[in-house]
Amino acid sequence: MPVVSPEKLVALQQHAEGIRNICILAHVDHGKTSLADALIATNGIISAKLAGKIRYLDSRPDEQLRGITMESSAISLYFSMSRRATAEEDPVQREYLINLIDSPGHVDFSSEVSTASRLCDGALVLVDAVEGVCSQTVTVLRQTWIEHLKPLLVINKIDRLITELKMSATEAYVHLSKLLEQINAVIGSFFQGERMEEDLQWREKVEERVATAAARAHQKVERKVATDAASTASDEVEIMVSNGIDGDFEEMDDEDLYFSPEKNNVIFSSAVDGWAFTMRQFASLYEKKLGIKRSVLEKFLWGDFYLEPRSKRVLGSKHLKGRVLKPMFVQLVLDNIWAAYEATTGGNKGKGDPAMVEKIVKSLSLPIPAHVIRSRDSRALLTAVFSAWLPLSTAVLVSVTENLPSPPIAQASRLPTLINGLPGAKHIDQKLREAVIGTEIEKEAPIVAYVSKMVAVRASELPQNKRKTGGSMTADEARKVARRKRAEIEKAKKAAEEGDLNGVAEALDNTALNGEQELSPEQAEEVEHLIGFARLYSGTLSVGDAVYVLPPKFSPANPHAAPEPQKVTVTGLYLMMGRGLESLTSVPAGVVFGVAGLEGHIFKSGTLCSQLEGSINLAGMNMGSQPIVRVALEPVNPGDLDKMINGMRLLEQSDPCAVYEVLESGEHVILTAGELHLERCLKDLRERFAKCEIQAGEPIVPYRETIVSASEMAAPKEKGLPRGTVVAVTPSKHITVRLRVQPLPAEVCDFLEKSRAAIGQLYAECKAKETTKQEDDPDGETNRDHEATLAHTQPIGSISLSDFKTNLQNTFAEAVPESELWSKVVDNIAAFGPRRTGPNVLIDRTGSCQKFLQEEQGMHESKTEEADVAQQSNSLRVKDFSDKILYAFQLATAQGPLCNEPCQGLSVIVEDVTVAAVSEDETSSGEMLGRLTGEIIKTVRDAIRQGFLDWSPRLLLAMYSCEIQASTEVLGRVYGVITRRRGRIIAESLNEGTPFFTILSVLPVAESFGFSEEIRKRTSGAASPQLVFQGFEMLDEDPYWVPFTEDELEDLGELADKENVAKRYMDKVRVRKGLAVKGQKLVRDAEKQKTLKR
């Protein structure tokens, strides 16, 4: 294939109807990059013979070494085809620009999938024909559903059904049918979940408005006669219901959502062998032979339809009348493919049939040279036959151009829903909204671009810095080099005549063959530049344009809120070509491109807009996998600390999922999604960003602390009081606090954990209202700040305070139906913790603390009255210490007593707070309050910890959900590794039609390091796990347990021969944090210690 010039691709960017922005999504090792190779080979970038082997878009050395994709890569491809509008007309050639993005399939790099999908309009979803639907397959299908991408299904690796599983064509058809049903079942679950949610929202609106109508009618009851009013109420409610309020619930047809081969949205392929086909291709082949129109034949090639040999009629399953016929898909499609494999590679016989190959080539009129047909290399012969008969690139690219939408069509259908769900959508400029939805490319149109991530590129790889290699110099360049070399040679001759040998050596050293001076090691160090990976939705962006950079929290409701967006000048535009970049001067709407000049202005993602007032913020996405693995880093040479810090900041910007933190202890910590992601980040730090030796500590695994009511617990520490009750007195004896620590019901804890975002939103609204009431600004600036705060914190699908209270009350009622302790508890909640959003509650029974979930009726007036009373009196009141108690609660839940890890599932009930009277001789109340602040914070914090330890404490372990596909031979070894690492098997299922089992298990994150490598070693590479963080799970073992009963002492002894796993985890964290470890012996049997020499 001839190489397509960049100028040709740039020219195609001006025609938005011919552009297709697509991404390739799949589970790991399902053939994404091999498929991309076949498409790249059509543009002459790589040889067609090397497609599937060279892995062109895997540009990193570690990607090539491991054989998996770690970063999403983009490339622009040219494709043209001829089509007839009707049978009588001449074919018209159409040219297309395919912007292709290859994304990773490993779960550690799910964030790369999110960044790729937001830039595209369609997706190629690959599924392995043998492995079927895997965990990441469901994830990428959900991603296409959320982003409203139109997917094309590619069932890849069909050759494995022939070569590995030795299936017949009929068995393969049954297997593919079941696989298609599984994939459609996943799509159906998304649709069903969405419709159930919409139905619930519609019913809630109906009930709310019916209740409003009934309330209005009830008010009329008080004014009129009861009988007349009752009829009025019923009539009004009936009228409201009969009118439908919002109309009847609209049912939606889901027929177009599913994959079906007769719709040509399913491609059957083998990327490694270079072939693929759709129903349309085979319908075209058999159209003349069977005398059936192609459009009709497409509908019957898949499904329970059979071809009668004599009459060549298509029969349904009902009309077989006992005859045994093969389905048309088997008879006309799969049998031919199986025959080609048997003729070339021999199939089950192990030896090919040259006569059959010649017959196939002749019958299909394939342009294959004679020397290739006579070749003894069966793989080369197989590839030659299929590439000439069913070329992979043709089937895929034709399906892409015909079934996936162009940017104008996709933006008109996708963006209205996306824009309406954005924060501050009502404040978006109407002209800007229309320009984005209409994909306007005029120079005067407003510019809107979305930057999904920042890509680190070496300075030498930028087009302006690349040296011309292998190309001829121009005449002017040759003359300049010649003059410089002559001057240097003359200088060397003069030095030789003068006898200065050092001068000769210096002159010759400075003379380079290419006329350039050798750079010093410091100059030779390559600088990393950050290039924005972006998609332009409206307008035309040119080099030198000044645009506003909108951060992810920007809201058009208050465009000038801090931090105010900055205007940045675009310094470069690039065409993404896989391993290289090509310079551009301008980019029209609908194109995926690279943009320079944003370094230091965009952190991870953002929006570029030509205007600030009424602008649109497209940033914000679901990252898929959250960083869970923390590792502390330090340079080997302490002098390289600044290098390491700058490198970590650069890494954080260029990686969508990596997070850089500095702990209170001063440790520099990096958070990653998993072990493989951590390895890649460390490699990038050492070789690209920091360029210094860095050593990593042991992974820091998060834990949670909680309490339970166990059967065997020590007696309460406060005799005569309920368990968990603590009466604490400050050191100065001025304040006495009585509080009680209780474990929260598990259902309530789960509800609060899922409602973190809603609690954070409610807290931000509460703080904004307080600020608005306290500050009386005549210019109205406070109101604008209040609106901005609400806009920043209000997520899509926000919840009101009353709804949250109702849901929480219902959860308490379901968890503990008849309990005096939890009755009316919601109205007394003063705070959540830690960080004000966690699954712990502070319940105030004294009335001293402001209630977090209290409606704001009369709050401002009561506060004003209290302030007046406080000014008149000089005494301390309980309410003066309410904020200190809240702060102590946050401290206690942020660092539990076991190992200073966050707490979960605690309820702290403040039962009484007593303040001793201040005598006249003592200092004023203001000075006393300042002195007592630290005392009460420390006292309440320690009291909560003491109440915590009155119960049976437990550790919550971070857990991975693990999915492994393994054959029967290695199943026992997989089980052994999982059990050895304290994992638990949840389910095991045999993939029907294959010898593979799918094993689902859970594994502690603390035991997962080295797990993947051990699995591969034990199974000789036959199994590879996928680990996804799924939350925290309780380890039902008291870390402070020691044997104390006679039976336990008799069985285990005083030292407890049975290992306390919870204590081991707890002690490990305490050692890392520098806390005291109870019972730790540094030296044991010192007289028996041996020297190193022995």
Side-chain angles (χ1 to χ4, degrees):
M1 289 294 295
V3 179
V4 180
S5 64
E7 291 77 14
K8 180 71 173 177
L9 300 175
V10 173
L12 291 174
Q13 290 182 347
Q14 305 299 324
H15 308 287
E17 294 77 11
I19 298 176
R20 299 291 185 272
N21 297 317
I22 63 171
C23 54
I24 306 179
L25 308 176
H27 188 76
V28 65
D29 288 335
H30 279 202
K32 297 179 297 299
T33 309
S34 299
L35 177 69
D37 274 1
L39 304 183
I40 293 170
T42 61
N43 280 224
I45 299 174
I46 63 174
S47 169
K49 294 181 180 180
L50 295 177
K53 302 172 185 176
I54 196 172
R55 302 176 62 89
Y56 182 76
L57 291 181
D58 286 350
S59 55
R60 297 170 55 97
D62 49 354
E63 288 179 326
Q64 292 286 344
L65 183 64
R66 289 181 176 270
I68 62 171
T69 304
M70 298 184 184
E71 289 183 350
S72 52
S73 305
I75 192 168
S76 296
L77 303 175
Y78 167 80
F79 178 66
S80 66
M81 66 175 181
S82 300
R83 283 290 186 195
R84 286 188 176 94
T86 60
E88 294 78 16
E89 295 182 7
D90 294 332
V92 179
Q93 186 175 14
R94 288 188 174 184
E95 296 181 325
Y96 297 93
L97 175 65
I98 312 293
N99 293 320
L100 177 70
I101 303 179
D102 180 27
S103 62
H106 197 281
V107 67
D108 281 9
F109 309 108
S110 296
S111 56
E112 295 280 350
V113 178
S114 302
T115 59
S117 59
R118 179 58 67 93
L119 300 178
C120 298
D121 303 319
L124 292 173
V125 180
L126 271 69
V127 179
D128 191 318
V130 175
E131 295 183 6
V133 178
C134 300
S135 58
Q136 276 301 98
T137 308
V138 178
T139 302
V140 299
L141 285 172
R142 183 181 291 110
Q143 191 71 33
T144 61
W145 181 268
I146 293 171
E147 295 290 344
H148 301 285
L149 302 182
K150 187 170 183 181
L152 276 179
L153 177 63
V154 181
I155 300 180
N156 193 26
K157 299 189 179 183
I158 294 182
D159 59 289
R160 294 182 66 187
L161 302 179
I162 307 171
T163 57
E164 290 185 24
L165 302 185
K166 310 294 184 183
M167 286 185 177
S168 65
T170 306
E171 292 171 342
Y173 168 67
V174 174
H175 178 79
L176 294 174
S177 300
K178 292 180 179 179
L179 176 59
L180 200 57
E181 289 176 5
Q182 293 174 8
I183 298 168
N184 285 331
V186 175
I187 298 289
S189 66
F190 300 153
F191 175 78
Q192 185 180 7
E194 187 177 276
R195 295 303 292 166
M196 290 177 65
E197 185 176 353
E198 291 175 356
D199 179 57
L200 179 62
Q201 293 174 355
W202 179 82
R203 290 180 185 277
E204 288 177 350
K205 288 182 180 179
V206 170
E207 292 173 0
E208 181 181 348
R209 298 193 182 186
V210 168
T212 305
R216 290 176 183 172
H218 183 69
Q219 293 176 358
K220 295 180 182 179
V221 173
E222 300 175 354
R223 301 175 187 173
K224 297 182 180 181
V225 183
T227 55
D228 297 339
S231 61
T232 303
S234 61
D235 293 343
E236 188 167 349
V237 172
E238 287 177 4
I239 290 172
M240 290 284 290
V241 176
S242 62
N243 290 339
I245 303 168
D246 287 330
D248 293 334
F249 183 67
E250 183 182 354
E251 296 294 340
M252 290 180 61
D253 185 17
D254 59 344
E255 184 179 356
D256 294 334
L257 300 176
Y258 301 117
F259 297 112
S260 181
E262 59 265 24
K263 296 178 184 177
N264 289 295
N265 59 3
V266 179
I267 303 171
F268 301 91
S269 76
S270 170
V272 70
D273 290 338
W275 60 266
F277 66 88
T278 60
M279 294 298 102
R280 181 165 296 174
Q281 283 180 270
F282 273 94
S284 302
L285 289 173
Y286 289 106
E287 182 179 12
K288 294 181 180 179
K289 187 174 182 180
L290 298 178
I292 304 174
K293 289 185 179 180
R294 187 187 70 181
S295 57
V296 177
L297 193 56
E298 286 177 11
K299 300 177 182 179
F300 297 110
L301 272 179
W302 178 266
D304 292 333
F305 299 103
Y306 305 86
L307 183 66
E308 191 175 25
R310 296 180 181 177
S311 62
K312 294 185 179 179
R313 289 169 49 211
V314 178
L315 303 176
S317 56
K318 297 180 181 179
H319 303 286
L320 288 179
K321 297 179 181 179
R323 288 176 292 181
V324 180
L325 297 177
K326 293 181 180 179
M328 291 181 65
F329 186 73
V330 176
Q331 183 179 357
L332 302 181
V333 179
L334 294 186
D335 277 348
N336 294 323
I337 294 175
W338 259 244
Y341 267 90
E342 190 170 346
T344 53
T345 61
N348 295 330
K349 299 177 182 177
K351 188 177 181 181
D353 188 350
M356 180 62 73
V357 172
E358 291 184 6
K359 185 178 179 182
I360 291 174
V361 170
K362 187 176 180 181
S363 61
L364 295 174
S365 302
L366 302 180
I368 301 178
H371 71 277
V372 176
I373 297 176
R374 293 191 298 268
S375 173
R376 294 185 179 181
D377 187 352
S378 59
R379 292 293 307 173
L381 181 58
L382 173 70
T383 306
V385 170
F386 275 106
S387 60
W389 178 28
L390 302 171
L392 173 68
S393 57
T394 303
V396 173
L397 293 178
V398 169
S399 298
V400 164
T401 55
E402 291 183 348
N403 295 285
L404 298 186
S406 60
I409 298 174
Q411 289 182 204
S413 61
R414 287 179 63 203
L415 290 187
T417 307
L418 180 66
I419 293 174
N420 292 334
L422 294 174
K426 297 179 181 178
H427 301 273
I428 297 175
D429 185 9
Q430 187 62 29
K431 291 184 179 178
L432 186 68
R433 183 192 294 259
E434 293 174 356
V436 170
I437 295 174
T439 322
E440 297 182 6
I441 63 173
E442 292 79 12
K443 190 67 178 176
E444 298 77 19
I447 296 172
V448 177
Y450 172 64
V451 181
S452 69
K453 70 169 185 173
M454 303 297 288
V455 181
V457 179
R458 292 184 176 90
S460 61
E461 295 178 359
L462 295 176
Q464 60 267 27
N465 297 335
K466 284 188 176 179
R467 299 175 180 175
K468 295 182 179 179
T469 56
S472 59
M473 290 187 292
T474 63
D476 291 338
E477 290 175 344
R479 279 192 289 269
K480 286 181 182 178
V481 172
R483 289 194 202 102
R484 186 162 53 245
K485 291 173 74 175
R486 279 197 298 269
E488 290 168 353
I489 292 171
E490 288 295 328
K491 184 178 178 181
K493 286 182 178 179
K494 288 181 180 178
E497 290 175 358
E498 294 173 1
D500 187 4
L501 297 178
N502 292 330
V504 176
E506 183 180 353
L508 292 176
D509 285 341
N510 291 333
T511 304
L513 293 176
N514 55 3
E516 296 180 2
Q517 291 187 350
E518 186 179 351
L519 298 176
S520 63
E522 291 78 10
Q523 294 172 330
E525 275 195 1
E526 291 192 63
V527 180
E528 295 283 344
H529 293 276
L530 292 178
I531 305 296
F533 192 24
R535 156 86 179 265
L536 190 63
Y537 287 93
S538 171
T540 300
L541 184 64
S542 303
V543 176
D545 286 352
V547 291
Y548 287 99
V549 177
L550 311 181
K553 290 187 177 181
F554 172 84
S555 173
N558 191 345
H560 298 284
E564 187 169 352
Q566 300 177 350
K567 212 165 191 180
V568 177
T569 302
V570 176
T571 59
L573 296 171
Y574 303 103
L575 180 69
M576 313 289 277
M577 293 299 293
R579 300 186 179 185
L581 301 171
E582 296 291 341
S583 294
L584 300 173
T585 55
S586 64
V587 172
V591 173
V592 176
F593 63 99
V595 55
L598 307 178
E599 193 168 350
H601 300 282
I602 285 186
F603 181 56
K604 286 183 181 290
S605 64
T607 306
L608 305 181
C609 195
S610 56
Q611 65 186 58
L612 190 58
E613 302 290 340
S615 54
I616 183 173
N617 180 17
L618 296 172
M621 64 174 63
N622 180 21
M623 280 295 122
S625 61
Q626 298 300 322
I628 185 66
V629 178
R630 295 185 178 198
V631 172
L633 306 180
E634 63 178 5
V636 175
N637 180 9
D640 293 333
L641 181 61
D642 290 338
K643 277 186 178 182
M644 188 191 77
I645 293 174
N646 293 332
M648 293 177 77
R649 288 174 179 162
L650 196 60
L651 172 68
E652 186 181 21
Q653 292 182 59
S654 63
D655 194 306
C657 196
V659 178
Y660 164 53
E661 287 182 353
V662 180
L663 301 184
E664 295 178 357
S665 59
E667 291 177 295
H668 298 274
V669 171
I670 184 170
L671 281 79
T672 60
E675 194 175 4
L676 183 59
H677 187 210
L678 173 63
E679 289 182 24
R680 193 196 76 179
C681 290
L682 291 177
K683 181 179 177 64
D684 285 347
L685 268 177
R686 293 181 179 121
E687 298 180 1
R688 298 180 60 186
F689 300 130
K691 294 180 181 175
C692 64
E693 286 298 318
I694 295 174
Q695 59 185 14
E698 290 189 7
I700 303 172
V701 179
Y703 293 89
R704 296 289 183 269
E705 302 179 16
T706 189
I707 53 176
V708 295
S709 177
S711 57
E712 296 180 358
M713 290 190 293
K717 295 178 182 177
E718 295 284 348
K719 296 182 179 180
L721 295 176
R723 183 178 295 277
T725 304
V726 179
V727 179
V729 183
T730 57
S732 61
K733 312 295 182 184
H734 277 97
I735 303 173
T736 303
V737 179
R738 173 176 166 171
L739 55 83
R740 182 178 176 186
V741 178
Q742 279 282 131
L744 269 179
E747 295 85 353
V748 178
C749 185
D750 293 340
F751 173 78
L752 295 178
E753 188 68 35
K754 295 175 183 177
S755 306
R756 279 181 180 270
I759 297 172
Q761 170 208 340
L762 295 174
Y763 177 78
E765 290 178 0
C766 180
K767 292 295 290 183
K769 289 174 183 176
E770 287 182 7
T771 307
T772 306
K773 290 179 179 179
Q774 290 174 3
E775 299 179 5
D776 187 12
D777 192 346
D779 297 331
E781 292 181 15
T782 305
N783 292 330
R784 288 200 298 268
D785 292 341
H786 166 58
E787 291 177 2
T789 307
L790 292 185
H792 284 328
T793 57
Q794 187 170 9
I796 299 172
S798 58
I799 188 172
S800 64
L801 179 62
S802 59
D803 291 342
F804 178 76
K805 283 184 63 176
T806 304
N807 295 339
L808 185 56
Q809 284 174 346
N810 295 336
T811 307
F812 268 110
E814 293 173 1
V816 277
E818 300 177 359
S819 174
E820 296 181 1
L821 179 65
W822 305 113
S823 61
K824 299 180 181 179
V825 72
V826 176
D827 294 329
N828 293 325
I829 292 178
F832 297 93
R835 299 181 181 273
R836 303 184 179 89
T837 60
N840 306 287
V841 294
L842 176 66
I843 301 167
D844 177 36
R845 302 230 187 242
T846 66
S848 60
C849 299
Q850 179 185 341
K851 304 302 185 291
F852 178 71
L853 299 179
Q854 184 180 4
E855 302 292 341
E856 56 177 336
Q857 300 174 355
M859 286 172 59
H860 184 57
E861 291 79 1
S862 61
K863 284 187 177 181
T864 307
E865 294 174 2
E866 291 168 5
D868 295 338
V869 172
Q871 289 178 357
Q872 294 173 5
S873 64
N874 193 31
S875 61
L876 292 174
R877 299 168 303 115
V878 174
K879 289 185 179 293
D880 295 334
F881 300 98
S882 61
D883 56 335
K884 285 75 177 175
I885 295 174
L886 295 177
Y887 183 66
F889 169 74
Q890 300 295 339
L891 287 179
T893 53
Q895 294 184 339
L898 297 183
C899 50
N900 281 6
E901 290 290 315
C903 295
Q904 180 172 314
L906 298 187
S907 63
V908 179
I909 305 170
V910 181
E911 296 181 344
D912 185 37
V913 179
T914 306
V915 180
V918 181
S919 63
E920 296 180 358
D921 299 337
E922 297 188 26
T923 56
S924 64
S925 61
E927 295 178 1
M928 182 70 71
L929 180 63
R931 183 166 59 83
L932 292 176
T933 296
E935 289 187 7
I936 191 169
I937 289 176
K938 184 178 184 301
T939 301
V940 173
R941 185 197 65 184
D942 293 344
I944 294 174
R945 290 187 169 189
Q946 186 179 343
F948 181 102
L949 295 175
D950 210 7
W951 297 86
S952 183
R954 294 289 187 272
L955 275 180
L956 295 172
L957 307 182
M959 302 296 287
Y960 274 138
S961 172
C962 175
E963 179 180 310
I964 303 175
Q965 281 203 346
S967 59
T968 314
E969 293 80 10
V970 298
L971 204 58
R973 300 174 195 171
V974 171
Y975 275 34
V977 176
I978 294 175
T979 307
R980 203 162 38 248
R981 290 177 175 264
R982 302 189 57 79
R984 188 176 74 255
I985 306 296
I986 295 177
E988 171 194 294
S989 59
L990 176 65
N991 297 342
E992 194 171 348
T994 69
F996 295 100
F997 284 84
T998 299
I999 305 164
L1000 296 178
S1001 61
V1002 290
L1003 186 76
V1005 175
E1007 305 285 351
S1008 67
F1009 301 103
F1011 174 71
S1012 299
E1013 186 178 356
E1014 185 178 1
I1015 283 280
R1016 283 192 290 267
K1017 283 182 178 178
R1018 294 283 182 179
T1019 62
S1020 301
S1024 183
Q1026 287 279 296
L1027 301 174
V1028 182
F1029 178 68
Q1030 71 163 17
F1032 290 88
E1033 184 177 296
M1034 182 189 298
L1035 176 61
D1036 196 11
E1037 193 171 350
D1038 190 341
Y1040 293 121
W1041 178 87
V1042 290
F1044 62 92
T1045 65
E1046 292 184 3
D1047 294 339
E1048 291 173 348
L1049 289 171
E1050 184 178 347
D1051 293 340
L1052 303 174
E1054 294 183 0
L1055 297 178
D1057 297 336
K1058 177 185 175 184
E1059 182 189 20
N1060 190 330
V1061 180
K1063 186 177 188 307
R1064 174 162 60 86
Y1065 286 141
M1066 182 184 73
D1067 290 347
K1068 191 175 182 181
V1069 177
R1070 293 185 71 89
V1071 169
R1072 178 174 57 81
K1073 293 184 176 182
L1075 304 174
V1077 179
K1078 187 178 179 180
Q1080 184 183 24
K1081 292 185 178 180
L1082 300 178
V1083 177
R1084 184 177 178 182
D1085 298 331
E1087 68 279 3
K1088 297 181 181 179
Q1089 298 296 314
K1090 294 182 178 181
T1091 62
L1092 292 177
K1093 291 182 179 180
R1094 294 183 182 178

